[in-house]
Amino acid sequence: MSSMNRREFLQILAAASAAGFALDSRQAWGAGKGDSFYELPRFGNVHLLHFTDCHAQLQPVYFREPSVNLGIGGAAGRAPHLVGERLLKAFGIKPGGIEAHAFSFLNFEKAARTYGKVGGFAHLATLVKRLRASRPNALLLDGGDTWQGSATALWTKGQDMVDACKLLGVDIMAGHWEFTLGDKRVMEIIEKDFGGKSGAKINFIAQNIKTSDFGDKVFEPYTLREMNGVKVAVIGQAFPYTPIANPRWMIPEWTFGIQDDNMQKMVDEVRSKGAQVVVVLSHNGMDVDLKMASRVTGIDAILGGHTHDGVPQPVVVTNANGKTLVTNAGSNGKFLGVLDFDVKGGRISDFRYKLLPIFSRLLPADAEMAALIDKVRAPHQAKLEEKLAVSEGLLYRRGNFNGSWDQLILDAIMEVQGAEIGFSPGFRWGTTILPGQAITFEHLMDQTAITYPQATLTEMKGEQIKTILEDVGDNLFNPDPYYQQGGDMVRVGGLDYTCDPNAKIGNRIQDMRLGGKHGGTPIEANKTYKVAGWAPVAEGARGEPVWDVVARYLRDKKTIAPRKLNQPKLVGLKGNAGIA
């Protein structure tokens, strides 16, 4: 099947050429069929398909990769902390082509208009079906952050995504943002939708979630599957710091953590049960996975998520008893990872890995999935499509310190609530809007759709502000990945500061000053400031949903000028490959 005819293909080719992009012969899609880009010959006898961090994006979207993804200490200059040209060079990707657009932020606006949107479950479904046709008994693994991130997911309590994943044919799942629906809702989905009654039989697995009273397992730690005569084990790893990064009161009776010792026990247990291939489906984040791979032996591959890194090839980690492949498969439905193992005589003899970008123009929409998506959206269509304003600049979120979408949210909550300073969470999820595009209510919800959305106005002393920035900075830049507790740096509005990511906690944040109209005035430790924020993790927080606050601002402005980012001055990072 083809998603475009030859004439449409030639038009895209001409647009690409005009925009300065070279499409090499591999991307010519055989006389415009759109197929050869996704031709992936079958290899071996164990086949794993992996997507992660789709954040409930059922429709194709634009998504800009980061221009700042800093590696600190031993992580500096290594995947996943490579951006732009350095990333392309490290993985041998030709600049200016369709793959360069998929994996980097370079020339984003032109490339996005040339190659179109990415992701979309109807297009993902087509690719999954094609790959399964050539790979008998392939397992489809969902790394989590699936039931949160869109308006319809919030309004249906994740049911739209659950139904889509069942139709997609997901076999095994791990989790993180799923838990912000609350423990009762999570268990309801697993029992009603993933259990035997529904016929779906999706395994929700996590070796590191236990009850806080007796330490009993909450979910199955792993699943064993037979594939083409080979026994395969998949062990689950939920995000270890869920009760810190997200509201503890939503999951009051569960403990998380990394739990290397128990992971080693699980690996040894499945090996003793005859597993010839052992894979961890992880939501640790890639740096944590790399460290875990160096400490826990007997894992063949870690299929990772959480940090949203689109890494074209696995990192091979050597440990005491062998080697482990560590991968990360991007976000927002943009990629599908394909890992093939050739197992001979009970041992892996070779592997192949490909992280396939999902371009909605190149993959036809699966009719059954498209119908489900239309059904989900129909009751909410008018609200989703409400045009709030038009953006004159590129709006994106991803990056260690700030994005233009975050800046817009900060500008809105500060102005509407009369605050001098604004804080916005360092969330990595959220789609991108091109200059000239209308900002719809759906786009706003793509940035804000959470179950604790209250906008807040708090009085804080200068010393409290510094403490918050230092704590979040340590979560992001602690040289030991096991102390990195999730997210990017808190985004700030109305505040200028200097940051030394390589310094120790307490010393990373320097020279804090009021920005904007108060520009240059030093922050005083004992002076009180009005700080606007949103997404409080404390139980019982009150406030208007942040999307209502921002929507009011957008409707009033009608046209949104390009944002000036409130970025810190960075020091000590000369030559760091994680900053463009």
Side-chain angles (χ1 to χ4, degrees):
M1 289 179 70
S2 164
S3 61
M4 64 178 87
N5 61 34
R6 180 164 175 76
R7 182 179 164 197
E8 290 169 324
F9 170 72
L10 291 171
Q11 287 172 343
I12 285 182
L13 202 63
S17 177
F21 295 98
L23 285 166
D24 63 30
S25 59
R26 285 180 305 131
Q27 293 156 358
W29 301 306
K33 287 184 179 177
D35 287 346
S36 65
F37 186 73
Y38 292 106
E39 275 180 13
L40 203 58
R42 177 185 172 185
F43 177 82
N45 48 3
V46 171
H47 314 293
L48 303 167
L49 311 179
H50 173 232
F51 73 95
T52 189
D53 297 275
C54 72
H55 283 286
Q57 294 301 326
L58 288 173
Q59 297 277 72
V61 299
Y62 295 114
F63 184 77
R64 177 190 182 273
E65 296 297 326
S67 49
V68 184
N69 185 357
L70 295 174
I72 300 302
R78 302 160 127 191
H81 302 288
L82 303 167
V83 299
E85 284 104 345
R86 284 158 163 162
L87 183 144
L88 301 185
K89 187 177 179 182
F91 292 101
I93 297 172
K94 183 178 172 184
I98 192 167
E99 287 183 299
H101 172 51
F103 288 103
S104 80
F105 71 93
L106 298 169
N107 302 304
F108 179 80
E109 291 175 35
K110 283 184 179 178
R113 295 188 196 282
T114 300
Y115 298 121
K117 292 183 177 181
V118 293
F121 259 53
H123 307 276
L124 173 62
T126 295
L127 183 57
V128 167
K129 284 180 178 177
R130 284 187 188 180
L131 291 166
R132 279 185 151 156
S134 65
R135 286 164 169 77
N137 305 309
L139 291 173
L140 178 58
L141 311 183
D142 173 358
D145 281 7
T146 305
W147 307 345
Q148 176 278 332
S150 73
T152 55
L154 183 71
W155 296 336
T156 64
K157 298 181 181 177
Q159 193 65 46
D160 63 333
M161 298 309 302
V162 171
D163 293 343
C165 286
K166 286 162 64 177
L167 183 58
L168 189 64
V170 169
D171 294 292
I172 304 164
M173 182 180 179
H176 169 208
W177 271 91
E178 286 69 24
F179 304 120
T180 65
L181 293 175
D183 51 4
K184 291 180 176 59
R185 176 61 178 147
V186 171
M187 298 312 289
E188 179 184 46
I189 288 170
I190 289 166
E191 287 163 17
K192 288 186 178 178
D193 290 284
F194 286 9
K197 290 179 185 175
S198 69
K201 296 197 171 97
I202 298 174
N203 289 117
F204 192 100
I205 55 174
Q207 71 87 22
N208 61 327
I209 303 180
K210 299 182 174 70
T211 59
S212 51
D213 50 7
F214 298 112
D216 297 327
K217 65 184 181 185
V218 176
F219 306 100
E220 290 302 314
Y222 59 79
T223 181
L224 283 164
R225 302 291 185 101
E226 191 88 17
M227 190 188 303
N228 307 322
V230 179
K231 192 172 272 191
V232 178
V234 182
I235 304 171
Q237 177 81 357
F239 179 55
Y241 296 110
T242 299
I244 297 170
N246 306 102
R248 172 73 182 152
W249 58 268
M250 293 181 170
I251 39 164
E253 296 173 3
W254 298 349
T255 64
F256 289 71
I258 294 171
Q259 300 191 31
D260 278 349
D261 290 346
N262 197 59
M263 177 64 80
Q264 187 67 67
K265 283 181 189 172
M266 294 302 97
V267 175
D268 296 343
E269 187 173 308
V270 297
R271 290 284 184 192
S272 73
K273 292 182 176 180
Q276 296 169 310
V277 176
V278 178
V279 171
V280 172
L281 180 60
S282 166
H283 207 92
N284 276 334
M286 191 159 179
D287 286 337
V288 178
D289 285 335
L290 290 167
K291 182 172 178 178
M292 177 177 276
S294 74
R295 289 161 61 94
V296 179
T297 63
I299 300 170
D300 295 307
I302 300 178
L303 300 178
H306 178 64
T307 36
H308 293 198
D309 301 306
V311 182
Q313 287 296 324
V315 175
V316 182
V317 178
T318 301
N319 53 49
N321 290 337
K323 297 182 188 302
T324 299
L325 307 176
V326 178
T327 74
N328 209 276
S331 67
N332 287 273
K334 185 176 176 181
F335 295 103
L336 182 69
V338 185
L339 178 59
D340 294 325
F341 284 117
D342 190 22
V343 179
K344 294 176 180 173
R347 296 173 62 87
I348 294 172
S349 64
D350 202 357
F351 77 94
R352 297 285 184 275
Y353 180 79
K354 183 77 174 176
L355 187 56
L356 291 169
I358 296 162
F359 284 96
S360 59
R361 281 181 180 171
L362 306 187
L363 288 162
D366 176 78
E368 198 177 1
M369 185 67 77
L372 173 64
I373 294 169
D374 287 346
K375 183 182 174 185
V376 164
R377 294 172 61 82
H380 312 289
Q381 201 77 30
K383 183 70 174 168
L384 293 171
E385 292 178 356
E386 181 195 354
K387 292 182 180 178
L388 302 173
V390 173
S391 178
E392 294 179 338
L394 182 71
L395 293 179
Y396 64 91
R397 169 169 276 171
R398 185 70 218 280
N400 282 160
F401 291 99
N402 210 346
S404 46
W405 246 122
D406 297 294
Q407 191 66 55
L408 176 56
I409 291 169
L410 285 162
D411 293 346
I413 62 175
M414 289 167 63
E415 180 172 315
V416 172
Q417 298 187 104
E420 302 158 273
I421 295 170
F423 281 168
S424 187
F427 295 149
R428 293 191 181 94
W429 43 272
T431 58
T432 301
I433 286 184
L434 300 183
Q437 215 179 332
I439 303 172
T440 64
F441 190 77
E442 180 170 25
H443 291 139
L444 174 57
M445 291 300 284
D446 286 350
Q447 315 297 319
T448 58
I450 62 173
T451 52
Y452 49 107
Q454 295 83 5
T456 59
L457 184 64
T458 310
E459 290 195 341
M460 289 186 191
K461 290 191 180 295
E463 60 185 358
Q464 288 177 279
I465 292 170
K466 184 176 192 298
T467 298
I468 288 169
L469 293 177
E470 288 283 5
D471 284 350
V472 180
D474 197 57
N475 284 345
L476 184 60
F477 299 122
N478 193 302
D480 185 342
Y482 279 21
Y483 288 93
Q484 296 170 4
Q485 295 174 354
D488 280 318
M489 189 66 182
V490 61
R491 282 70 166 99
V492 301
L495 178 68
D496 298 322
Y497 67 96
T498 298
C499 178
D500 182 354
N502 289 297
K504 292 185 177 176
I505 187 168
N507 299 302
R508 289 190 178 95
I509 309 302
Q510 304 149 15
D511 194 26
M512 297 191 308
R513 296 173 181 268
L514 284 174
K517 59 187 177 184
H518 309 286
T521 308
I523 298 289
E524 298 175 37
N526 291 315
K527 188 174 177 181
T528 299
Y529 302 88
K530 285 185 178 178
V531 181
W534 66 284
V537 296
E539 189 171 8
R542 294 185 176 183
E544 194 177 5
V546 69
W547 50 77
D548 286 341
V549 175
V550 179
R552 214 157 48 241
Y553 174 90
L554 294 172
R555 291 185 192 109
D556 180 57
K557 300 290 181 190
K558 295 185 175 58
T559 301
I560 301 300
R563 297 293 97 179
K564 182 178 183 297
L565 294 190
N566 215 149
Q567 297 269 37
K569 178 184 176 184
L570 299 174
V571 296
L573 294 173
K574 189 175 180 182
N576 193 298
I579 185 167

